[in-house]
Every structure is written in structure tokens, then in C-alpha cells.
Amino acid sequence: ELGLYSILGMEKKHMARVLLYETLIIAAASLAIGLAAGALVALRSQRAIAEAAAGLGLKYEMWPLKDTCDILIHLPDGRQLAVDAKAYGRAERLAREIEDDTGIAQMCADEVAYVVPDQVERDHPGYRALCNAVLRGKTGYSCETLRNFSKRLDAAAKGGTR
């Protein structure tokens, strides 16, 4: 590409500008596609959780109090379970967000679950372990896969605790 530009008589400063524009366009497109894909995965997880709660006859609220959590589920025993669906590819990023997350604690939910897609744990073994290590000091907090969370929700709906 650079050779063609040179043969056509393009000056070096113009070649540099074209390469800069190409790089910026590709970076912007990559960022937009990545953000959109992440949002779709998180939204899909939120829908799956909401459908599971509805299927069990549990009352739930989507995005209560703006963005403190994704779903607030009202359990039969009166407890409230705040759920935040996450789709980060790196556990370190989720762990940092968990450490900084004060919004969910302000909701006065009895329990908080960060739910990640099952595929994340398969692709990154130890993902939940790292997040749960960060949560160790926070009572009632956990990081779970969607499959495990669905089982937990089923047990809670039937009167069990976990």
C-alpha cells in the first residue's frame, strides 16, 4: 500500500495522514462492535434471568433505581436478591468494578449476585474464583454462572435458601 502511494507520487506527510485516518477508523469500528457485542451478551443474560424468575412465579424489577443493578428479585421468604449480569472477558476488570461498586449496597438488598455467562467460565477457568476472592469480605455477595444462578433461584423459589 505504501509502495503504491509512493509510486503515485504521494508525499510522506500525506501517506502518514492516510494511515492515521485508516487506523482511527478501524479502531473506532472495533470499539463500537466490541461494545455492542458486550451489551448484547449482557442483555441476553438479563433476559434469561428475568425469564427464569418469571417462570418460577417470582416478582422482579428490571433496572430498579436506574443502574444500581440489572434485576431486583423478590423471593417468597421476603428477601430481595439484587442481580447484576456481567459479560467482561477479563476477571480482573470485573473484580475492579466489584471493589468500586457501592450502588448495589445502597439498595438494601439482602443478597447480591454478579452473574456471568456460562461460556465465560468455560473460556476462562478461575474467573468466578477470582471475583469471589474479591467478594470474600462482603457478606451476601457472590459471583456465579448463569446456570448455577438459575439453580439457586429455583431452590430459593421452592423455599430453600441456596
Side-chain angles (χ1 to χ4, degrees):
E1 182 179 356
L2 294 176
L4 179 61
Y5 291 154
S6 182
I7 290 172
L8 293 173
M10 188 180 275
E11 295 178 14
K12 286 184 180 181
K13 67 179 181 180
H14 291 116
M15 280 191 250
R17 189 176 298 157
V18 167
L19 291 175
L20 175 67
Y21 292 151
E22 286 178 359
T23 302
L24 290 175
I25 289 169
I26 290 171
S30 298
L31 181 63
I33 290 169
L35 288 172
L40 287 174
V41 169
L43 186 59
R44 192 169 144 207
S45 294
Q46 293 166 13
R47 285 182 69 197
I49 294 165
E51 288 171 5
L56 294 168
L58 299 173
K59 294 180 183 177
Y60 66 92
E61 301 169 47
M62 296 291 286
W63 307 292
L65 303 174
K66 302 210 177 183
D67 194 31
T68 51
C69 72
D70 296 326
I71 304 168
L72 182 63
I73 300 173
H74 304 277
L75 300 174
D77 62 4
R79 292 179 299 135
Q80 292 185 339
L81 176 58
V83 182
D84 211 355
K86 299 295 183 187
Y88 296 140
R90 297 184 58 219
E92 295 83 8
R93 183 169 173 217
L94 177 55
R96 272 195 311 275
E97 183 173 313
I98 288 171
E99 287 175 332
D100 297 339
D101 198 355
T102 58
I104 292 180
Q106 294 170 351
M107 287 187 61
C108 298
D110 300 296
E111 295 179 49
V112 175
Y114 291 94
V115 178
V116 297
D118 298 323
Q119 187 65 36
V120 170
E121 182 68 21
R122 280 194 297 269
D123 292 346
H124 306 283
Y127 189 100
R128 287 182 307 120
L130 177 61
C131 294
N132 282 318
V134 172
L135 292 170
R136 195 166 288 132
K138 295 184 174 188
T139 305
Y141 282 67
S142 65
C143 180
E144 307 173 46
T145 63
L146 185 56
R147 182 184 317 255
N148 288 346
F149 180 77
S150 295
K151 290 177 185 175
R152 174 180 169 197
L153 195 59
D154 187 47
K158 292 177 180 171
T161 57
R162 276 198 147 215

